[in-house]
């Protein structure tokens, strides 16, 4: 009887050793940063817990482009939680929904490859309705600027010609002052941004058409200039 009991103990111990393994669980696989301003950062927080019976080894962390990963624990003991804090720099990203992923590879028995996601809605300081302006006559054109700033104002506009084959070298370095009219409209967007109307009168250019950039200066402390590629002909 004692031999049978001893054999059962050995069998149980063997099975326990076979099935002992690390397991990984995350509190939330998707982190929402909510609304953030352009040119800012999203600091995400994930909590990785080892729910298994052996130490969990993190072998690799691979972020998508635009995401950086701070130092993290490569070994998590059974029953312990490690806080994981990746950061996404949204500078240069287009306004709207931003999604960046991180792939965590480990020796976890349940999920050796874990996909984490970071989301946020990028709110522009100033959103411009057009990314290119073309004037084929002296007639003015209208664009809209949308911003959370309630007293947004345009303080000046110039047209900077590009130095190309159809523009004399001296003219390519001389900006043209641009006449304009600016004012707030009566509308507010669903996301809370106030809409402003900007009426631009193109500069009078003698000779061949010119390509260049319209540079709009504003009173916004975080977006003092808006540069729009354009053509005047």
């Amino acid at each position: 009887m004692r031999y049978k009991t001893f054999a059962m103990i050995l069998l149980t111990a063997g099975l326990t050793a076979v099935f002992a393994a690390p397991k990984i669980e995350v509190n939330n696989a998707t982190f929402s940063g909510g609304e953030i301003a352009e040119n800012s950062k999203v600091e995400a927080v994930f909590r990785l817990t080892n729910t298994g019976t052996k130490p969990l080894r993190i072998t690799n962390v691979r972020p998508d482009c635009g995401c950086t990963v701070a130092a993290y624990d490569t070994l998590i003991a059974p029953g312990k939680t490690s806080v994981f804090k990746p950061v996404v720099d949204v500078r240069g990203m287009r306004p709207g929904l931003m999604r960046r992923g991180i792939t965590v590879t480990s020796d976890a028995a349940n999920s050796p490859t874990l996909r984490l996601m970071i989301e946020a809605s990028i709110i522009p300081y100033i959103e411009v309705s057009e990314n290119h302006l073309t004037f084929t006559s002296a007639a003015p054109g209208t664009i809209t600027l949308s911003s959370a700033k309630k007293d947004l104002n345009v303080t000046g506009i110039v047209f900077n010609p590009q130095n190309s084959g159809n523009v004399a070298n001296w003219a390519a370095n001389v900006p043209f002052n641009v006449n304009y009219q600016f004012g707030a409209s009566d509308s507010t967007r669903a996301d809370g941004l106030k809409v402003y109307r900007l009426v631009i009168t193109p500069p009078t250019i003698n000779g061949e058409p010119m390509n260049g950039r319209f540079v709009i200066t504003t009173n916004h402390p975080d977006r003092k200039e808006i540069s729009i590629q354009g053509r005047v002909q």
Side-chain angles (χ1 to χ4, degrees), residues 208-230:
E208 296 184 13
M210 285 188 180
N211 295 317
R213 283 192 173 274
F214 289 89
V215 179
I216 305 169
T217 55
T218 80
N219 67 339
H220 199 298
D222 298 304
R223 189 75 186 276
K224 295 182 179 181
E225 283 191 356
I226 301 170
S227 181
I228 305 175
Q229 189 72 29

Side-chain angles (χ1 to χ4, degrees), residues 36 40-44 63-69 85-91 93 98-102 117-120 122:
I36 61 171
S40 61
K41 297 179 180 180
V42 183
E43 298 181 356
D64 288 351
C65 181
C67 179
T68 58
V69 177
K85 297 181 178 180
V87 177
V88 179
D89 190 339
V90 303
R91 286 178 296 181
M93 295 186 186
M98 180 279 303
R99 301 182 81 245
R100 290 293 184 272
I102 300 172
M117 193 65 61
I118 303 172
E119 295 181 348
I122 303 175

Side-chain angles (χ1 to χ4, degrees), residues 16 18 25 31 47 51 60 74 80 106 122 132 169 194:
T16 300
V18 169
E25 299 291 343
F31 178 89
R47 289 177 171 81
T51 58
N60 188 31
T74 58
K80 298 297 183 179
S106 70
I122 303 175
H132 192 280
N169 288 335
K194 191 172 182 60

Side-chain angles (χ1 to χ4, degrees), residues 30-31 34 42 55 62-63 71 73 76 100 121 125 128 136 138 154 158 160 171 173 175 200 208-209 223 226 233:
T30 300
F31 178 89
V42 183
R62 188 175 71 254
D73 294 328
I76 305 175
R100 290 293 184 272
S121 180
Y125 294 126
V128 186
T136 56
V154 169
V158 296
N160 292 322
N173 298 318
I200 301 174
E208 296 184 13
R223 189 75 186 276
I226 301 170
Q233 56 190 38

